[in-house]
Amino acid sequence: TSTHAQGTKKIENLVNDSGGEVAKKAKPAEVCKVLLKRVNLNANAKEFLEAYVGEDYTMLISVVNQIGKLDKEVQYAMTSEDLITRLPSKPGTVPPWDFINPMLNGNAKSAVELFERSMVGSHILVSMLLARKKLQLLYRLKMLQKEGIWKSNDQASILGERNSPNIWITAKTAQNLNVETAQYLAKLALITEANLKGYLNADPEIVFANFIATVCLSIKYNKPLPLELR
């Protein structure tokens, strides 16, 4: 939270003023970039590796060591096909929110794959909470757009949110949907969450993957699907 961040900053300043040094844990994405600087890969190859390893940057250590022994020209010419044989058969885990943007873009394949990868280090109800909050925001933004409120700073102020990519990206999806579809998606999220918290005869991960696919289809075709919403 912002309060926690402010408190942490004060402690850091106190330590620095006393001649000390604050040791911060590097984020996986930052470690990946440091490791990839050791080799001469082209941009597409680096992007592929970053996406494949996700937060499991330790996968890169062996790969970077292998590639580093090759000539610079050979390194730069490497493709994803060349790299995949040097990687574990299973991609690394990703943060539980990574599936959200592909879902908003109607890309079911990418969204489901990222959701499944996130389950290694997360819980399905975390993913459900993130999806529900996003789809509720989508509906609220659609209603503001219907009333002629289009500026992101006005939208954020009314909704009590920061004027950030969370608003911008979601609003972009909302403007391509009608009110009925946006409302359907918000209701679908609430019902799916209730089902996941209750008794289910089905695998929760399959239920959630189906939920993602349903959301993607509804967004892609801009209409509620013929599912019964109670």
Side-chain angles (χ1 to χ4, degrees):
T1 63
S2 58
T3 303
H4 175 74
Q6 291 171 8
T8 302
K9 188 64 178 178
K10 289 179 180 179
I11 295 172
E12 290 178 10
N13 290 338
L14 181 61
V15 173
N16 291 331
D17 290 343
S18 301
E21 183 177 347
V22 178
K24 295 183 180 180
K25 183 179 180 181
K27 296 179 180 179
E30 295 171 349
V31 178
C32 283
K33 291 187 184 302
V34 170
L35 287 169
L36 289 174
K37 284 182 179 179
R38 299 179 183 176
V39 289
N40 189 40
L41 294 173
N42 61 67
N44 288 337
K46 286 183 178 181
E47 184 179 352
F48 166 75
L49 284 175
E50 288 176 342
Y52 194 91
V53 304
E55 295 197 312
D56 295 336
Y57 59 84
T58 53
M59 286 185 184
L60 278 180
I61 297 173
S62 175
V63 177
V64 166
N65 288 338
Q66 293 175 44
I67 296 171
K69 297 174 183 178
L70 304 174
D71 291 339
K72 295 285 186 181
E73 294 77 10
V74 175
Q75 293 180 29
Y76 194 77
M78 295 186 83
T79 65
S80 57
E81 288 78 12
D82 298 321
L83 295 168
I84 194 71
T85 59
R86 303 171 185 269
L87 291 161
S89 58
K90 188 175 180 181
T93 186
V94 296
W97 56 82
D98 266 20
F99 76 94
I100 294 287
N101 285 347
M103 183 179 73
L104 289 183
N105 290 330
N107 189 339
K109 183 176 184 295
S110 177
V112 170
E113 285 178 354
L114 289 170
F115 156 67
E116 290 174 343
R117 286 174 64 180
S118 75
M119 282 296 94
V120 175
S122 184
H123 190 280
I124 195 165
L125 289 180
V126 174
S127 298
M128 186 67 248
L129 173 65
L130 294 168
R132 190 251 300 162
K133 289 174 73 69
K134 180 64 73 173
L135 293 177
Q136 287 178 327
L137 176 62
L138 177 73
Y139 174 63
R140 291 170 183 144
L141 285 167
K142 184 71 226 178
M143 296 307 294
L144 291 180
Q145 292 172 355
K146 182 185 177 184
E147 297 301 319
I149 302 171
W150 291 95
K151 291 183 178 179
S152 63
N153 57 333
D154 293 335
Q155 294 170 341
S157 177
I158 292 170
L159 297 176
E161 300 275 352
R162 288 194 306 112
N163 187 16
S164 67
N166 185 39
I167 291 287
W168 312 333
I169 294 171
T170 312
K172 185 177 180 181
T173 299
Q175 72 183 55
N176 295 322
L177 302 177
N178 57 43
V179 172
E180 291 75 19
T181 301
Q183 184 180 48
Y184 163 81
L185 292 170
K187 287 182 177 179
L188 179 65
L190 285 170
I191 291 170
T192 305
E193 184 176 45
N195 288 337
L196 288 172
K197 289 181 177 179
Y199 179 75
L200 277 176
N201 287 321
D203 184 331
E205 291 191 20
I206 293 177
V207 170
F208 194 78
N210 287 337
F211 161 76
I212 292 175
T214 302
V215 170
C216 289
L217 284 172
S218 183
I219 288 174
K220 183 177 180 179
Y221 294 105
N222 187 21
K223 64 178 183 180
L225 298 185
L227 296 177
E228 182 180 354
L229 293 178
R230 293 192 295 255

